[in-house]
């Protein structure tokens, strides 16, 4: 009892101007939906891909971010002696103290200021985070006021290109290398020697966090338990994966905003679709009557027009996805309200997101087409046939 | 027809249709009685507003009577639901409209195939049926043409092929030559006459043109919603 697909397809082609206008309306809604969600997804991805399950982040209990944490030097020394920590090629435990500060720096291109996270690291950090690699210049020299900046930071902040000499904490530093953080949260950071940073910001009493690498997952769990229970330490342990997953809370307002925006626009698009479909129904009243005379049931008429509306929305959806696809390579930033520093990340227009967007388009098509379709099916045949 | 067929195709008793219009009731059909038998070619004539098209629509199951009894092909069609009526029309009725009512975005062949898509015939069988009826109406060379590429007479022949393709028991035609020139009208009436005489189809046709009615075997007149008795001035059998 289904009216053939070619009937709908040829109508959409014949009335191509109306088809185009409505499809573009649907497409713009889908594009906004995809772009906002790609923003939120990109932000999530920056955090989610950052952590390593074997890396344990040791912090002061109850804090929400590394920035609020502090670990004393003597506790760091105790941690180094614990069992279950992997050893590096030099036979030393892979444990690294880290110092985090935030500096306020002008952004490119307009000079508006934003907080930038500077991470003081130990050279052991490179063993903990092998995904980070120098792509230009060289590694900083310990004991010198040298920094390496992520390539994305060098593009978004003034004074962090290779060879620049940014000033922060009162001292002048030199950018000696650029690194690629492989899409992780480290892409939003500048790294330097932790001892230099301690001196510059007068943090000689301790570190922000200590990161330790466990030999295996079982050892990671055991190590976390040992640190939790050791009365000398009084520290909290999270795996990096756990910590950065918690940071994805940052994207929640964006997701809510995106959903709200897309919903409001979708309602508008549904009305546009409805308007087009009411127009189609009105101009094809005689054909609807004819189809009914030929034996097509009211239900098949509903299916026919809903299907046409869905087709229209799908064309728009595909257009919207194509329009938003180039955003995949755009870098942007937002404030992480856990650390009050800028998170730099890339939009993530993924196949999954596009599938969801097309599903969203189908829903808009059904909603936009249903009422006109039902009105078409319910109209008496004689009324339909009498339309000129 | 040399011999009167006995099988009743349409049996109407006291059939009335009243339309509410501007706060008043308009009587379109007033207690009509009519019997039409298998193989007859009946022309319904009358002035505008006489109720002839209303009667045809009710017999086709696309409108419902206000009161009275009606059986078409033995089915009390006024009692059927909309969906049941749809199926009934597809199985039993071929309808020819005055203005052809072809679907402009489909070719002649696709238009004719539309009723068959509701049957269990496969694609090959449907194609064979379509070719057969287009051959009957003499349009095999226009199968892939769109309605806009056809003349009025050709469009109406496609519409007749569409009405015929499901091999219906009853062909109903509402002013089938109303939109055609004299030559095309003659062609169409010849086709309808051939369907009646050579293929034994029962045809009921509404017309106001006596030249068109001339092709039928029986002519009945309506006036102001009433069926005039056979033998009344203007009526003939």
């Amino acid at each position: 009892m289904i009216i053939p697909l070619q009937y709908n397809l040829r109508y959409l082609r014949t009335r191509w101007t109306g088809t185009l206008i409505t499809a573009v309306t649907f497409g713009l809604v889908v594009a906004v939906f995809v772009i906002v969600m790609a923003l939120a997804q990109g932000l999530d991805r920056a955090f989610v891909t950052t952590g390593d399950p074997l890396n344990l982040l040791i912090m002061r209990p109850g804090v929400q971010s590394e920035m609020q944490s502090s670990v004393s030097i003597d506790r760091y020394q105790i941690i180094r002696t614990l069992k279950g920590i992997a050893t590096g090629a030099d036979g030393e435990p892979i444990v690294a103290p880290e110092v985090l500060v935030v500096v306020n720096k002008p952004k490119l291109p307009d000079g508006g200021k934003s907080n930038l996270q500077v991470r003081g690291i130990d050279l052991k950090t490179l063993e903990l985070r092998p995904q980070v690699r120098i792509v230009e210049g060289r590694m900083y020299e310990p004991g010198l006021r040298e920094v390496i900046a992520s390539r994305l930071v060098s593009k978004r902040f003034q004074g962090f290109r290779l060879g620049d000499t940014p000033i922060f904490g009162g001292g002048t530093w030199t950018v000696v290398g650029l690194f690629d953080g492989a899409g992780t949260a480290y892409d939003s950071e500048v790294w330097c020697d932790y001892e230099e940073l301690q001196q510059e910001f007068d943090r000689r009493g301790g570190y922000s966090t200590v990161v330790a690498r466990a030999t295996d997952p079982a050892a990671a769990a055991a190590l976390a338990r040992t640190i939790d229970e050791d009365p000398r330490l009084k520290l909290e342990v999270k795996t990096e994966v756990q910590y950065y997953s918690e940071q994805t809370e940052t994207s929640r307002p964006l997701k809510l905003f995106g959903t709200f925006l897309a919903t409001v626009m979708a309602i508008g698009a549904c009305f546009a679709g409805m308007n087009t479909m009411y127009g189609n129904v009105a101009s094809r009243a005689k054909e609807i009557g004819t189809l009914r005379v030929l034996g097509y049931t009211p239900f098949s008429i509903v299916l026919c027009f809903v299907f046409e509306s869905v087709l229209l929305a799908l064309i728009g959806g595909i257009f919207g996805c194509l329009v938003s696809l180039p955003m995949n390579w755009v870098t942007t930033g937002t404030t992480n309200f856990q650390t009050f520093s800028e998170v730099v990340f890339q939009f993530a227009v993924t196949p999954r997101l596009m599938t969801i967007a097309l599903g969203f388009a189908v829903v808009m098509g059904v909603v936009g087409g249903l009422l006109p379709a039902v009105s078409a099916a319910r109209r008496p045949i004689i009324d339909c046939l009498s339309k000129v | 027809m040399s011999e009167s067929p006995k099988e009743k195709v349409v049996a109407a008793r006291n059939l009335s249709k009243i339309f509410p219009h501007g706060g008043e009731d308009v009587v379109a059909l007033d207690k009509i009685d009519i019997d039409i038998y298998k193989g007859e070619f009946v022309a319904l004539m009358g002035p505008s507003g006489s109720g002839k098209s209303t009667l045809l629509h009710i017999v086709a199951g696309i409108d419902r009577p206000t009161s009275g009894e009606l059986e078409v092909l033995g089915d009390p069609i006024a009692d059927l639901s909309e969906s049941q009526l749809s199926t009934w029309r597809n199985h039993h009725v071929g309808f020819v409209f005055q203005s052809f009512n072809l679907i402009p975005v489909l070719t002649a062949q696709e238009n004719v195939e539309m009723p068959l898509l509701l049957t269990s015939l496969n694609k090959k069988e449907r194609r064979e049926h379509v070719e057969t009826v287009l051959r009957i109406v003499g349009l095999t060379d226009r199968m892939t043409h769109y309605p806009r590429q056809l003349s009025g007479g050709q469009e109406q022949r496609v519409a007749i092929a569409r009405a015929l393709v499901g091999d219906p028991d009853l062909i109903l035609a509402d002013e089938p030559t109303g939109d055609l020139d004299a030559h095309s009208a003659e062609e169409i009436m010849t086709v309808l006459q051939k369907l009646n005489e050579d293929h034994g189809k029962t045809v009921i046709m509404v017309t106001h043109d006596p030249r068109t009615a001339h092709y039928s075997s029986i002519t009945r007149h309506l006036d102001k919603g009433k069926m005039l008795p056979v033998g009344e001035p203007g009526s003939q059998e």
Side-chain angles (χ1 to χ4, degrees):
Chain A
M1 284 298 203
I2 292 174
I3 294 165
L5 173 65
Q6 69 221 34
Y7 174 70
N8 303 104
L9 285 175
R10 289 196 197 152
Y11 254 107
L12 293 180
R13 198 179 61 190
T14 305
R15 297 166 187 232
W16 65 271
T17 43
T19 300
L20 196 68
I21 290 166
T22 312
V24 166
T25 308
F26 279 122
L28 290 178
V29 174
V30 169
V32 168
F33 175 77
V34 171
I35 289 169
V36 178
M37 287 304 171
L39 193 68
Q41 201 158 290
L43 186 54
D44 273 358
R45 192 158 75 175
F47 289 122
V48 169
T49 56
T50 301
D52 183 316
L54 289 182
N55 286 354
L56 299 177
L57 198 57
I58 304 158
M59 300 188 293
R60 197 177 77 193
V63 298
Q64 288 186 320
S65 74
E66 297 169 283
M67 200 65 69
Q68 299 157 320
S69 170
S70 63
V71 178
S72 63
I73 295 170
D74 54 329
R75 284 174 183 161
Y76 161 66
Q77 294 300 345
I78 293 169
I79 292 164
R80 280 176 60 84
T81 65
L82 297 176
K83 283 183 183 171
I85 296 176
T87 49
D90 57 1
E92 291 292 313
I94 306 177
V95 181
E98 294 193 340
V99 178
L100 276 116
V101 297
V102 165
V103 295
N104 197 245
K105 286 288 164 193
K107 290 205 295 184
L108 290 167
D110 57 358
K113 287 194 167 182
S114 186
N115 284 344
L116 173 64
Q117 190 158 292
V118 180
R119 185 181 294 269
I121 60 163
D122 184 276
L123 289 179
K124 278 264 180 276
T125 296
L126 297 178
E127 288 182 63
L128 287 158
R129 285 149 191 166
Q131 70 270 46
V132 175
R133 50 191 189 84
I134 304 282
V135 290
E136 217 175 316
R138 60 172 174 80
M139 187 60 180
Y140 70 82
E141 202 64 51
L144 296 178
R145 294 280 162 106
E146 291 180 346
V147 298
I148 55 172
S150 100
R151 195 158 47 181
L152 294 183
V153 165
S154 77
K155 287 176 184 165
R156 284 187 66 83
F157 282 87
Q158 290 179 13
F160 284 91
R161 287 173 306 179
L162 193 63
D164 284 351
T165 51
I167 297 170
F168 54 86
T172 301
W173 301 69
T174 305
V175 181
V176 296
L178 298 180
F179 65 84
D180 178 4
T184 64
Y186 307 126
D187 271 329
S188 310
E189 297 182 352
V190 170
W191 287 6
C192 63
D193 180 17
Y194 75 96
E195 287 180 326
E196 292 300 312
L197 202 61
Q198 275 180 309
Q199 283 177 30
E200 193 66 60
F201 286 84
D202 198 19
R203 298 271 184 92
R204 291 187 190 87
Y207 316 111
S208 299
T209 60
V210 172
V211 186
R213 185 170 186 81
T215 50
D216 54 63
L223 195 54
R225 212 166 33 248
T226 304
I227 294 169
D228 270 342
E229 291 168 358
D230 192 324
R232 297 169 299 169
L233 294 174
K234 292 178 183 164
L235 292 170
E236 188 178 347
V237 182
K238 287 177 181 170
T239 64
E240 267 187 352
V241 171
Q242 189 186 352
Y243 173 77
Y244 284 105
S245 294
E246 288 167 9
Q247 301 289 303
T248 58
E249 287 293 306
T250 303
S251 67
R252 182 174 287 185
L254 257 180
K255 282 180 190 163
L256 283 175
F257 172 71
T259 307
F260 172 75
L261 193 68
T263 305
V264 170
M265 289 186 70
I267 291 169
C270 284
F271 277 110
M274 220 178 266
N275 192 36
T276 302
M277 293 312 294
Y278 268 122
N280 284 353
V281 166
S283 64
R284 279 147 69 183
K286 201 168 171 182
E287 281 172 43
I288 294 165
T290 306
L291 289 169
R292 295 288 314 282
V293 172
L294 296 182
Y296 287 88
T297 60
F299 180 65
S300 61
I301 300 291
V302 170
L303 274 186
C304 171
F305 280 93
V306 168
F307 184 68
E308 191 167 312
S309 175
V310 168
L311 261 179
L312 204 55
L314 265 179
I315 293 169
I318 292 167
F319 167 73
C321 286
L322 290 176
V323 165
S324 54
L325 202 56
M327 293 301 290
N328 208 24
W329 293 277
V330 172
T331 301
T332 187
T334 187
T335 302
N336 178 352
F337 289 102
Q338 312 269 14
T339 62
F340 295 99
S341 59
E342 172 136 317
V343 187
V344 183
F345 60 95
Q346 282 188 319
F347 282 77
V349 183
T350 60
R352 183 174 170 272
L353 180 57
M354 287 196 282
T355 308
I356 292 170
L358 290 179
F360 177 55
V362 168
V363 171
M364 284 195 291
V366 170
V367 173
L370 196 59
L371 277 179
V374 169
S375 83
R378 292 182 63 170
R379 189 182 288 184
I381 299 174
I382 289 297
D383 282 3
C384 293
L385 292 175
S386 65
K387 299 287 174 192
V388 180
Chain B
M1 306 289 284
S2 59
E3 196 176 316
S4 286
K6 295 294 177 194
E7 194 179 328
K8 221 179 257 185
V9 174
V10 178
R13 295 287 173 275
N14 286 320
L15 199 68
S16 293
K17 177 71 183 180
I18 299 168
F19 293 107
H21 182 71
E24 288 183 14
D25 285 343
V26 176
V27 180
L29 291 179
D30 189 6
K31 295 178 183 168
I32 294 266
D33 288 342
I34 190 170
D35 289 325
I36 295 172
Y37 293 89
K38 187 175 180 185
E40 288 183 341
F41 187 158
V42 178
L44 296 174
M45 290 193 74
S48 291
S50 60
K52 55 189 188 301
S53 287
T54 303
L55 178 60
L56 193 78
H57 291 153
I58 289 173
V59 169
I62 59 181
D63 201 357
R64 291 176 186 273
T66 308
S67 62
E69 292 168 23
L70 173 67
E71 280 195 1
V72 182
L73 298 159
D75 295 317
I77 60 167
D79 299 337
L80 301 180
S81 69
E82 279 302 311
S83 290
Q84 287 170 327
L85 264 181
S86 297
T87 309
W88 180 86
R89 280 193 299 271
N90 182 253
H91 289 172
H92 300 294
V93 174
F95 203 97
V96 181
F97 301 89
Q98 177 179 346
S99 48
F100 331 129
N101 289 24
L102 297 180
I103 292 169
V105 294
L106 300 181
T107 62
Q109 178 180 300
E110 289 164 344
N111 264 290
V112 174
E113 194 183 9
M114 285 300 277
L116 295 185
L117 295 172
L118 300 171
T119 66
S120 56
L121 296 177
N122 63 34
K123 195 172 179 179
K124 185 169 172 283
E125 290 167 333
R126 291 200 304 269
R127 175 61 60 92
E128 285 167 4
H129 278 67
V130 168
E131 283 177 6
T132 302
V133 290
L134 281 173
R135 195 174 303 118
I136 290 173
V137 299
L139 275 181
T140 42
D141 57 337
R142 295 284 189 276
M143 284 173 69
T144 55
H145 285 56
Y146 286 92
R148 65 176 181 279
Q149 298 167 319
L150 301 172
S151 69
Q154 287 171 332
E155 279 196 80
Q156 192 59 298
R157 280 193 276 161
V158 173
I160 291 172
R162 181 179 65 185
L164 196 61
V165 74
D167 193 22
D169 304 296
L170 189 55
I171 292 178
L172 304 173
D174 190 2
E175 303 269 14
T177 59
D179 283 3
L180 300 176
D181 57 59
H183 176 69
S184 300
E186 197 180 321
E187 278 182 0
I188 293 304
M189 289 317 301
T190 306
V191 171
L192 285 175
Q193 195 174 42
K194 190 174 147 194
L195 290 176
N196 173 248
E197 291 178 355
D198 298 353
H199 298 268
K201 297 291 175 192
T202 309
V203 181
I204 307 174
M205 174 182 70
V206 163
T207 183
H208 63 270
D209 181 357
R211 284 171 302 178
T212 304
H214 183 69
Y215 287 86
S216 66
S217 53
I218 299 167
T219 303
R220 298 298 306 269
H221 283 79
L222 286 98
D223 190 25
K224 293 175 185 164
K226 288 184 183 294
M227 183 71 76
L228 299 182
V230 177
E232 281 277 309
S235 284
Q236 59 177 3
E237 190 162 11

